[in-house]
Amino acid sequence: AAFIAAETGAELLVLHAVDDDRPRRLLDAERREASAILHEQVAALGQASAPSILPLIEEGDPFEAILRVAETCEAELIVLGEHRHRPLRDVFAGTTVERVMRHGSRPVLMVNRATAGPYRQVFAATDLSEHATRALRVAIRLGLLDGAQLTLLHAFEPVGLGALARADAPPAAMAAHEADAAREAATALAAWVV
């Protein structure tokens, strides 16, 4: 996030959400500790990495706090790190990253490790939807694709292939149907890129 902010001249808001499902004294202690750590991390980034870095502590469910702050600040991009693994909660509610992407309207970049420099190999999966279009446009606007090799992936499942298999269609007919679907998908992807 700091690298992108420095490259684009954007303001960087570093948010930590303190889950508010505890007694107030524990919540206040966690808030103080989180604030100290957050200020250390922001100081370590240094002002040279971004024009403006603002630390912020919010209370509430993490995904709700992230979405609330992103909407209030009109964030152009939400950058999230690797999530804590909470197997039981993740199975039923989804991870924070999944919930932010599912319920939010802002583009999300999920980062597993720190970057050493500009992105040079970009892999973008698309379902050819307006959401995918918007995400790619934001990546372009933020300069994430400048000088990078972009690989687009559109996975598709040929409609009706299962019905052909259940009807014992000849393998040649199934292969022809699959080839036709692949050509249609390639044409749709080419049109989407333009």
Side-chain angles (χ1 to χ4, degrees):
F3 177 77
I4 292 169
E7 287 289 306
T8 61
E11 177 178 82
L12 175 61
L13 177 66
V14 182
L15 171 67
H16 177 76
V18 178
D19 206 334
D20 62 356
D21 65 350
R22 286 169 273 235
R24 176 49 59 186
R25 67 179 175 74
L26 294 176
L27 190 61
D28 289 342
E30 183 177 343
R31 189 180 181 100
R32 281 190 302 276
E33 184 178 335
S35 180
I37 292 169
L38 192 59
H39 281 85
E40 284 176 22
Q41 290 175 340
V42 166
L45 289 173
Q47 292 302 318
S49 64
S52 174
I53 304 175
L54 307 169
L56 178 65
I57 305 284
E58 284 286 312
E59 292 181 11
D61 185 287
F63 100 91
E64 290 173 348
I66 291 166
L67 292 178
R68 182 176 60 247
V69 170
E71 288 300 318
T72 300
C73 297
E74 297 181 1
E76 292 181 87
L77 179 67
I78 299 171
V79 180
L80 296 171
E82 188 175 21
H83 78 283
R84 273 186 308 204
H85 294 281
R86 298 174 297 185
L88 188 59
R89 182 175 182 174
D90 291 351
V91 165
F92 292 105
T95 66
T96 298
V97 174
E98 290 168 339
R99 292 164 61 189
V100 167
M101 287 192 288
R102 189 170 47 242
H103 297 287
S105 61
R106 308 261 173 206
V108 176
L109 174 63
M110 199 257 187
V111 180
N112 288 318
R113 63 180 192 268
T115 182
Y119 293 106
R120 295 291 174 231
Q121 303 278 337
V122 176
F123 180 83
T126 180
D127 60 1
L128 308 180
S129 68
E130 183 55 37
H131 296 293
T133 302
R134 196 169 69 229
L136 194 57
R137 285 183 182 149
V138 167
I140 291 167
R141 191 174 71 244
L142 291 174
L144 296 178
L145 305 181
D146 293 350
Q149 177 184 339
L150 173 63
T151 301
L152 285 175
L153 171 69
H154 172 56
F156 69 96
E157 186 172 343
V159 176
L161 192 61
L164 287 173
R166 285 189 299 279
D168 287 329
M174 291 179 60
H177 177 72
E178 195 167 6
D180 287 344
R183 276 191 295 281
E184 288 176 19
T187 300
L189 181 61
W192 183 79
V193 170
V194 176

